Amino acid sequence: MTPNEAVEHAIRSRRAVRAFLPDPVEPGLLRRLIELAAQAPSGTNMQPWKLRVIGPQARARLEAALLAALAAGERPGAEEYRYYPVQFREPYLARRRKVGWDLYGLLGVTKGDTEGMKRQTAANLRFFDAPVALMLTIDRDLEIGSWLDLGMFIQTLLIAAQGHGLDSCPQAIFAQFHPIVRRELAIPEHEVVVCGIAIGKADSDAPANRLVPEREPVEGFTTWLD
């Protein structure tokens, strides 16, 4: 592939993977991906992102605590930040419902199957068994512009991973369980727990990984001005 084709392929082939092979990721490659992500733009070069690479011992403690809370039916508590609107409206409601039920359909989880949904939540809290588990935070006193910068860092990291033959999944669920994440990873109160990221090689046999979300055509969200 030409450089242009390689970039386009990495962008188009990237998707949220929800089942990973146990194949390890070389530490040197992971560091390279993080270095590439750090080239993301940020207003006045503030570089507001903060990243934690979760090692085996810390990950075991974190996952055990999260799964124990899930099994006990404990509610995560107040949201760390509001990811979704209080009231969904169209077209966002239909898109959200479709991708959700498309995923659960692949998993064999039907409406009202609380145990099936709980199993999928548990997999999410285990970083879908990916070999690499990351946690992203941002200082609480920063404004929306810095959150945009953090989003660009995350996307650059995901595309860099894809370009190097790795798959990924950004995971907002950890923000819901932020008190546990904060405690187990020693994250100070002045940092907001934004999301986790799982990285590794996709398990091509896993039903969940057959999900390919639909994308809106350019005409659906673009206005061409003369």
Side-chain angles (χ1 to χ4, degrees):
M1 289 187 287
T2 66
N4 290 347
E5 291 170 336
V7 171
E8 183 169 335
H9 176 74
I11 293 171
R12 288 189 179 276
S13 62
R14 188 220 60 81
R15 55 194 173 89
V17 164
R18 295 177 175 86
F20 291 84
L21 297 173
D23 304 9
V25 174
E26 288 294 327
L29 175 56
L30 179 58
R31 173 174 284 275
R32 180 173 179 82
L33 298 179
I34 296 169
E35 289 174 346
L36 289 169
Q39 301 305 307
S42 63
T44 62
N45 200 34
M46 284 176 60
Q47 305 172 68
W49 41 80
K50 294 189 176 183
L51 175 67
R52 287 168 174 81
V53 180
I54 308 173
Q57 295 183 19
R59 179 170 174 177
R61 292 193 303 270
L62 174 63
E63 292 183 3
L66 291 168
L67 294 175
L70 180 66
E74 296 177 11
R75 297 184 62 83
E79 290 182 289
E80 178 78 309
Y81 64 93
R82 190 171 295 284
Y83 192 110
Y84 296 109
V86 176
Q87 184 68 41
F88 275 94
R89 61 175 175 81
E90 299 299 348
Y92 311 114
L93 178 61
R95 293 173 187 169
R96 172 182 170 85
R97 284 176 171 169
K98 177 170 174 48
V99 75
W101 289 117
D102 283 352
L103 173 61
Y104 283 127
L106 290 170
L107 296 171
V109 177
T110 57
K111 189 173 183 178
D113 182 1
T114 55
E115 286 304 312
M117 293 181 181
K118 198 170 183 179
R119 285 195 302 272
Q120 187 60 16
T121 299
N124 201 343
L125 295 174
R126 298 196 312 270
F127 295 88
F128 299 112
D129 299 322
V132 173
L134 309 176
M135 196 65 64
L136 277 297
T137 68
I138 191 170
D139 284 335
R140 195 174 297 277
D141 61 345
L142 296 182
E143 299 294 345
I144 191 169
S146 292
W147 284 72
L148 295 174
D149 297 340
L150 174 60
M152 288 187 279
F153 173 88
I154 292 170
Q155 176 71 350
T156 304
L157 178 58
L158 302 183
I159 296 301
Q162 197 71 23
H164 282 268
L166 296 173
D167 299 284
S168 60
C169 185
Q171 300 171 266
I173 192 171
F174 295 106
Q176 299 175 27
F177 289 82
H178 66 92
I180 297 173
V181 174
R182 185 180 309 284
R183 182 188 72 221
E184 298 299 328
L185 300 185
I187 297 173
E189 284 293 336
H190 69 262
E191 293 180 31
V192 178
V193 176
V194 178
C195 70
I197 299 179
I199 295 178
K201 290 184 179 294
D203 180 352
S204 59
D205 294 329
N209 288 341
R210 295 201 297 268
L211 177 67
V212 181
E214 295 179 1
R215 300 297 184 182
E216 287 294 302
V218 170
E219 292 74 19
F221 57 84
T222 304
T223 301
W224 304 89
L225 301 175
D226 293 332

